[in-house]
Structure formats: structure tokens, C-alpha cells
Amino acid sequence: MRFEDALFNWLQIHLVAEARPEDRAAIDTRDFFLEILTEDHGISNLHIHTVDDTMIHLRFDKDNKSKLQMFPREAGEQLLQDINENPKYN
């Protein structure tokens, strides 16, 4: 899986898992993407650094350097919004 895809997927499901701590599937899926990122792409210390009006800023370490990756906030929060708007998931 491409790095950017795995990172974006981790972000979306991380937001779901944080908002729905009882959702075991979300937590397991977040951990799956984190495993891909750590084992296949060699990153560590992944976390959401900042959320502003338009962007979500992720920080992580790769190749002994601190890195920053940003995603549009609307795109990052879309999965959670879709789940919340679908009654069969609530």
C-alpha cells in the first residue's frame, strides 16, 4: 500500500476510533493501518499535531527525522461524518 494512502486511511479511522471508543472494529482497523505504516514504511511516533479550520497536521518520525504531513480537514473527517449520518451504524 502506498504511504500516502495508508497515512490517510489511518487518519480517517483514527478519528472514528477516537469519537467512538466502544467501536472495536474501528480500533482494530486503526491498529492495522498503524502496523502497515510502522512495518512497511518505517515511521514511528505518529500523532495528530494540530487541527485548524482547514487542515489536519500529522507528525511522525521517519529516517531519523521529524516529518509533517497535512490533509484537508473535510476529507479527513468524511468517514466519521458518513458513519454518524448512517443510522445503521449508530
Side-chain angles (χ1 to χ4, degrees):
M1 177 177 289
R2 287 179 0 137
F3 174 71
E4 292 80 12
D5 293 338
L7 194 59
F8 181 71
N9 290 337
W10 175 87
L11 170 60
Q12 282 197 313
I13 200 65
H14 176 74
L15 294 173
V16 172
E18 290 290 306
R20 300 167 52 100
E22 74 291 344
D23 187 339
R24 189 76 225 156
I27 293 166
D28 291 345
T29 304
R30 178 193 59 197
D31 294 348
F32 168 74
F33 283 111
L34 183 59
E35 186 175 316
I36 289 171
L37 289 164
T38 57
E39 292 183 8
D40 295 352
H41 298 286
I43 73 164
S44 60
N45 301 319
L46 174 61
H47 63 280
I48 294 175
H49 176 68
T50 307
V51 178
D52 62 33
D53 290 340
T54 61
M55 302 297 281
I56 298 173
H57 306 244
L58 301 180
R59 283 260 182 222
F60 56 91
D61 296 332
K62 182 175 172 114
D63 301 325
N64 296 319
K65 295 179 184 170
S66 180
K67 306 269 185 170
L68 174 69
Q69 177 78 35
M70 295 183 289
F71 291 101
R73 183 174 178 177
E74 185 175 329
E77 294 175 345
Q78 188 64 52
L79 179 62
L80 178 58
Q81 180 180 338
D82 291 346
I83 289 170
N84 286 337
E85 290 175 357
N86 190 331
K88 85 177 190 182
Y89 297 112
N90 293 313

